[in-house]
């Protein structure tokens, strides 16, 4: 299933609907302004919080966390010793490691687990400026988690480019 995401959601304080490939509201991104750290909430259409995305404070390396039910579900960091600048590692709470690689700033990258494609993020499906799609490849995959990962990786790459 493909989900349409506009880069506008990357601004803290903004709220934005992510739509599915049929144009239906799938997720609401709620940017939490006036917080000490960068925080976004990903909600379902009924307003239930599915994931909270936070910039990790006091970390030696830039990191973001994805939380669910007040517990850390995943931590995202740039991969150490990678020859590719656009390579991130997502460590899930139970120890599973996902690889995110590609041209992050161009919105052309993938999320994989042990070589298996879980999601493909791309602008090529849309001709609308500042819009990209998160194509969740596996039907049993957690779409909210994969979208949250894509948003976190893009935020981290954008922050790194600014510095």
């Amino acid at each position: 299933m493909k989900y349409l995401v506009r880069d506008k959601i990357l601004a803290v304080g903004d709220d934005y609907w992510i739509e599915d490939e049929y144009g239906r509201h799938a997720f609401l991104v709620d940017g939490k302004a006036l917080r000490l750290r960068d925080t976004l909430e990903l909600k379902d259409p009924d307003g239930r919080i599915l994931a909270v995305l936070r910039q990790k404070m006091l970390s030696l390396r830039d990191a973001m966390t994805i939380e669910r039910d007040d517990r850390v579900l995943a931590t995202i960091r740039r991969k150490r010793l990678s020859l590719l600048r656009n390579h991130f590692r997502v460590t899930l709470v139970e120890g599973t490691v996902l690889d995110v690689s590609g041209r992050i700033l161009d919105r052309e990258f993938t999320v994989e687990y042990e070589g298996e494609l879980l999601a493909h993020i791309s602008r090529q499906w849309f001709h609308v400026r500042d819009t990209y799609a998160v194509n969740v490849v596996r039907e049993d995959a957690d779409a909210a988690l994969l979208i949250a990962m894509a948003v976190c990786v893009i935020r981290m790459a954008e922050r790194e480019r600014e510095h």
Side-chain angles (χ1 to χ4, degrees), residues 42-61:
L42 188 63
K43 298 178 179 180
D44 70 10
D46 296 323
R48 289 185 293 264
I49 298 172
L50 302 174
V52 177
L53 293 60
R54 296 185 201 273
Q55 178 183 359
K56 194 167 183 182
M57 303 301 282
L58 304 173
S59 177
L60 292 176
R61 294 187 353 231

Side-chain angles (χ1 to χ4, degrees), residues 105-159:
L105 295 174
D106 292 334
R107 310 313 189 250
E108 296 292 337
F109 59 96
T110 59
V111 179
E112 297 180 343
Y113 171 66
E114 294 185 348
E116 180 184 357
L117 181 65
L118 300 178
H120 180 211
I121 293 77
S122 179
R123 280 193 172 145
Q124 72 182 5
W125 295 303
F126 298 99
H127 299 291
V128 180
R129 189 170 181 249
D130 297 329
T131 303
Y132 62 94
V134 177
N135 183 20
V136 178
V137 176
R138 288 186 48 159
E139 287 186 28
D140 63 341
D142 184 340
L145 177 60
L146 290 168
I147 290 168
M149 284 181 208
V151 170
C152 286
V153 167
I154 290 168
R155 290 179 78 88
M156 291 172 71
E158 292 280 347
R159 247 193 326 267

Side-chain angles (χ1 to χ4, degrees), residues 8-106:
K8 162 183 178 169
I9 70 167
L10 299 179
V12 174
D14 285 349
D15 295 348
Y16 183 75
W17 281 103
I18 294 174
E19 298 173 346
D20 67 16
E21 59 191 299
Y22 305 107
R24 298 178 301 223
H25 288 171
F27 303 102
L28 175 66
V29 177
D30 185 358
K32 295 296 180 186
L34 303 175
R35 297 273 176 109
L36 180 59
R37 57 186 175 174
D38 196 1
T39 303
L40 296 170
E41 292 178 346
L42 188 63
K43 298 178 179 180
D44 70 10
D46 296 323
R48 289 185 293 264
I49 298 172
L50 302 174
V52 177
L53 293 60
R54 296 185 201 273
Q55 178 183 359
K56 194 167 183 182
M57 303 301 282
L58 304 173
S59 177
L60 292 176
R61 294 187 353 231
D62 192 25
M64 287 190 77
T65 59
I66 300 171
E67 301 172 11
R68 185 174 283 158
D69 300 325
D70 296 322
R71 292 181 301 207
V72 173
L73 181 62
T75 302
I76 301 151
R77 290 187 172 88
R78 177 167 299 288
K79 188 172 180 182
R80 281 185 174 174
L81 305 174
S82 174
L83 298 176
L84 301 172
R85 282 188 44 124
N86 293 307
H87 199 133
F88 289 81
R89 174 170 285 159
V90 179
T91 306
L92 302 179
V93 70
E94 77 275 358
T96 301
V97 176
L98 306 178
D99 287 312
V100 180
S101 62
R103 296 184 326 270
I104 307 296
L105 295 174
D106 292 334

